[in-house]
Amino acid sequence: QVKFVESGGGSVLAGDSLRLSCVASGYRYSLHCMGWFRQAPGKEREAVATIAQDGGTSYIDSVKGRFTISRDSDESVLYLQMNNLKSEDTAMYYCAGTPLLGVDCTGQILALSMADWGKGTQVTISS
């Protein structure tokens, strides 16, 4: 069973930066698609960014130009560099991954693929 452990969150001021990390373990097949999600209080979990095995990335409009998703060479660690943070970025952040082939690397596919989410890492931005 694949396990995801997120870290790197914290409480910072608007305009600051944070770098989130996610270690994936227990997977038999390569995680061809990975991504970051977030869930703010009272809101549904939303996909923030995705990265495919070929390096292709996608972002929601509100974080474009501020967030960068990446993964290390052995694809077991996922990162999210978050710059110029805003109060609306406050949320619990989760990572996700799927070994599915032949599908687009999207937040929807990732969400459908996830059976067990990690505990997440809290990001709190104060203005």
Side-chain angles (χ1 to χ4, degrees):
Q1 184 176 353
V2 183
K3 180 180 179 181
F4 299 94
V5 179
E6 303 91 347
S7 62
S11 296
V12 297
L13 297 175
D16 285 350
S17 299
L18 284 172
R19 189 190 196 205
L20 306 185
S21 299
C22 170
V23 177
S25 62
Y27 51 93
R28 177 180 295 182
Y29 304 103
S30 295
L31 299 176
H32 297 292
C33 174
M34 296 189 76
W36 285 97
F37 288 70
R38 67 185 180 188
Q39 187 168 20
K43 295 187 177 181
E44 293 186 356
R45 182 150 37 199
E46 64 173 351
V48 174
T50 64
I51 184 167
Q53 194 172 38
D54 65 1
T57 59
S58 67
Y59 302 89
I60 56 173
D61 287 345
S62 62
V63 307
K64 284 181 180 177
R66 300 189 297 121
F67 289 13
T68 303
I69 188 172
S70 62
R71 60 196 300 183
D72 67 358
S73 57
D74 67 5
E75 302 176 343
S76 65
V77 185
L78 184 69
Y79 303 100
L80 186 67
Q81 177 66 42
M82 306 187 295
N83 298 328
N84 190 21
L85 285 160
K86 303 178 180 181
S87 57
E88 51 263 43
D89 295 320
T90 294
M92 186 71 79
Y93 284 70
Y94 304 86
C95 69
T98 179
L100 288 177
L101 290 171
V103 296
D104 292 335
C105 184
T106 66
Q108 184 178 21
I109 292 296
L110 282 170
L112 290 172
S113 301
M114 290 293 289
D116 296 298
W117 294 84
K119 294 182 178 179
T121 185
Q122 178 67 41
V123 172
T124 303
I125 312 303
S126 301
S127 57

